[in-house]
Amino acid sequence: MKNSKVLHGFAVLAVALFLVGCDKETTLQTGLEERQANLIMATLLDNGISCHKAPGEEGTWTVLVDESNFAQAVNLLEQQGLPRRAFQGIAEVFKKTGMISSPSEERIRFMDALAQDLSRTISQIEGVVDARVHVVLPENDPFARNTLPSSAAVAIRARWDSDISDLVPSIKGLVQNAIEGLSYEKIMVTVFRDSPPKKK
C-alpha cells in the first residue's frame, strides 16, 4: 500500500514537471488557406520548429507554435516570404461595380489585373520570394505623329541563397509577350536579394 502511494506520488510529480516544461502555444498565422497553412508548417518543421494547425473561421486555418519559438518562426517566415501574397486575377479585378464603367476605369483595372497576373507568375519561380510588376500603357492618340511607348518595371525579392540573374532575360521575355506592343528594351528588372540569416 505504501509503495503504491509512493508510485502515485512520483506519477503526479512527473505530470506536473511535464506540464511546467511545456510551452504555452500562441497563434503564428491565421486566416490562411489550407495550402498556405501546409506550406508554412512544412517550412517550420523542416527547420526544427514544432507546430500544428487548427480550423479557423469560414474555412480558413490557423498555425500555432510554442511561445518560446514564436520569434524564430516569425523571422523564418519573413525570410521565406510566407505566407505568399494573395493576387487577384483578371476575372476578379475586372468585376464591374456599377452598370457602366468609364474607359479610364476599364483601363486602370486592365493594367492592374495584367500586373497582378505577371507578378503571380514570376513569384512562382524557384528562388523568388516575391515579385511586383508595374505596367505603363500610355493612352496615345491614334492620330498623333509621336506616341509614347509602353513600359514595364519588375521588382523581384529573391532568397539570399538564390542567384536568379541568369533568369532575368527569360523574365523580360515573359513580360514582353504578355503585353501587346511592349518592346524588350522598355522592360526593367531589378532583383533584391534578402540578407542571409543571422548566425546564432
Side-chain angles (χ1 to χ4, degrees):
M1 186 72 176
K2 186 176 181 180
N3 289 338
S4 178
K5 288 183 178 180
V6 171
L7 290 174
H8 177 72
F10 275 121
V12 172
L13 179 60
V15 172
L17 290 174
F18 174 77
L19 292 175
V20 169
C22 288
D23 292 311
K24 183 180 178 182
E25 281 191 327
T26 187
T27 299
L28 178 64
Q29 291 285 339
T30 189
L32 300 167
E33 296 179 354
E34 188 168 15
R35 179 178 176 278
Q36 288 273 36
N38 290 340
L39 185 58
I40 287 174
M41 288 184 61
T43 301
L44 294 174
L45 294 171
D46 283 346
N47 286 271
I49 301 175
S50 61
C51 60
H52 75 273
K53 66 181 181 182
E57 297 180 355
E58 299 180 358
T60 62
W61 292 86
T62 296
V63 176
L64 301 101
V65 296
D66 291 341
E67 281 188 348
S68 61
N69 294 328
F70 181 77
Q72 182 185 357
V74 169
N75 290 332
L76 177 62
L77 295 188
E78 176 65 21
Q79 292 168 9
Q80 299 291 331
L82 296 173
R84 294 283 186 179
R85 182 162 55 97
F87 293 97
Q88 289 182 306
I90 289 179
E92 295 171 279
V93 176
F94 258 97
K95 288 180 180 177
K96 290 187 177 181
T97 55
M99 294 293 292
I100 300 175
S101 297
S102 69
S104 296
E105 290 175 333
E106 292 285 353
R107 187 176 186 78
I108 290 171
R109 281 203 293 268
F110 174 75
M111 287 192 295
D112 184 55
L114 189 58
Q116 289 207 51
D117 272 0
L118 285 168
S119 298
R120 173 165 43 196
T121 300
I122 297 170
S123 294
Q124 302 304 313
I125 296 174
E126 181 67 27
V128 174
V129 176
D130 195 15
R132 291 181 182 270
V133 177
H134 302 274
V135 179
V136 178
L137 303 176
E139 195 168 357
N140 292 310
D141 184 343
F143 301 103
R145 179 175 297 178
N146 297 318
T147 58
L148 297 173
S150 300
S151 62
V154 184
I156 297 175
R157 178 185 165 200
R159 285 172 49 90
W160 67 274
D161 56 352
S162 296
D163 184 5
I164 64 169
S165 55
D166 291 342
L167 298 177
V168 169
S170 297
I171 292 171
K172 293 179 69 172
L174 172 69
V175 175
Q176 180 187 15
N177 291 327
I179 302 174
E180 184 178 2
L182 178 62
S183 64
Y184 189 85
E185 293 73 23
K186 288 296 181 180
I187 306 170
M188 183 178 70
V189 177
T190 306
V191 179
F192 304 91
R193 291 178 68 177
D194 280 349
S195 300
K198 295 179 180 179
K199 295 181 179 180
K200 296 181 179 180

